[in-house]
Amino acid sequence: MSAAGIPVAYLTAQVALTLAGFHPGKTVLAPAIGGSVGNAVTQLARALGAKHAISSTTNHAKAEQAKALGFNEVIDTSVEKLTDGVRRITDGYGADIIIDGIGGEVLSEAVKALAPGGSLITLGYSASRKTTIDVTSLIVSQTSIRGFNMFSQPQTIIANAWKSTASLLKSGAIKPIVAKIFPLVEAAEALRYLVEGRPFGRVVLKV
């Protein structure tokens, strides 16, 4: 069942990291460790040799759950600002690459966490479609923001991303996290659980 959590999130994460110029040694931030994209980016960056693979959560219980699952660079934003956490983990340097699927205030804060010359890819807005950015955060450090739409990517890029992802999955370097499995007849309940329960990991429907 965990395989059901692979296609969209991991392919999106792989392609986004590639477009952002990822290579081993880079520091990556992907907010929302409990979310599909945030978790996928964090796992992939770590497996591919990132110096730091950082994520975050607004929930202390999720921060502890993430730690128990081996995610040791998760910022608990209920007690620490996202930017402060990134600077602490990186000794003041910041993140070379940020992949954000949250939007809203998280995106606004994430921009401030970019390292000099770093880039942020925005691909979702689960928190809000609107955000406020201090442009001096971009100008002073010469950083950049880029929008990303997975469904507009060329098939060759997707095919290459799938090969890389499949290889990492087979080796066990990445592992989809499934929070709960529902039978198809309980699809409405599954959606309610996803929205209201804000689970750690994917919610899967069993056909």
Side-chain angles (χ1 to χ4, degrees):
M1 284 295 170
S2 63
I6 297 171
V8 177
Y10 283 90
L11 285 178
T12 299
Q14 182 72 64
V15 175
L17 283 170
T18 299
L19 291 179
F22 175 84
H23 59 72
K26 290 282 190 179
T27 288
V28 176
L29 167 65
I33 191 63
S36 58
V37 173
N39 192 274
V41 172
T42 303
Q43 285 199 49
L44 281 169
R46 185 172 61 181
L48 294 170
K51 182 176 182 180
H52 295 286
I54 307 168
S55 191
S56 66
T57 179
T58 59
N59 185 299
H60 183 67
K62 283 187 180 180
E64 292 300 310
Q65 188 175 357
K67 187 181 297 184
L69 289 169
F71 299 103
N72 298 315
E73 296 182 318
V74 174
I75 300 162
D76 181 354
T77 59
S78 68
V79 297
E80 181 180 31
K81 283 187 176 182
L82 182 63
T83 302
D84 292 340
V86 172
R87 299 296 178 188
R88 170 179 55 77
I89 292 170
T90 64
D91 294 325
Y93 176 72
D96 297 302
I97 295 170
I98 299 177
I99 310 295
D100 175 60
I102 308 302
E105 293 183 6
V106 173
L107 176 57
S108 177
E109 187 71 13
V111 169
K112 303 172 189 176
L114 283 166
S119 62
L120 184 151
I121 288 185
T122 175
L123 49 78
Y125 41 83
S126 60
S128 175
R129 296 183 181 187
K130 295 182 179 181
T131 189
T132 300
I133 295 173
D134 184 341
V135 293
T136 60
S137 298
L138 303 174
I139 296 170
V140 174
S141 297
Q142 300 186 81
T143 52
S144 62
I145 299 177
R146 174 177 180 171
F148 174 77
N149 182 349
M150 181 62 180
F151 301 105
S152 297
Q153 303 306 309
Q155 285 301 312
T156 52
I157 289 179
I158 295 175
N160 289 335
W162 174 248
K163 288 179 182 178
S164 176
T165 301
S167 176
L168 291 169
L169 177 69
K170 186 176 181 179
S171 70
I174 60 173
K175 184 178 181 181
I177 297 173
V178 175
K180 195 170 183 179
I181 299 171
F182 288 85
L184 185 59
V185 294
E186 295 181 13
E189 181 61 29
L191 183 59
R192 185 177 300 108
Y193 173 70
L194 180 63
V195 174
E196 298 177 0
R198 301 181 65 188
F200 191 115
R202 303 303 296 266
V203 174
V204 176
L205 288 176
K206 183 178 181 180
V207 180

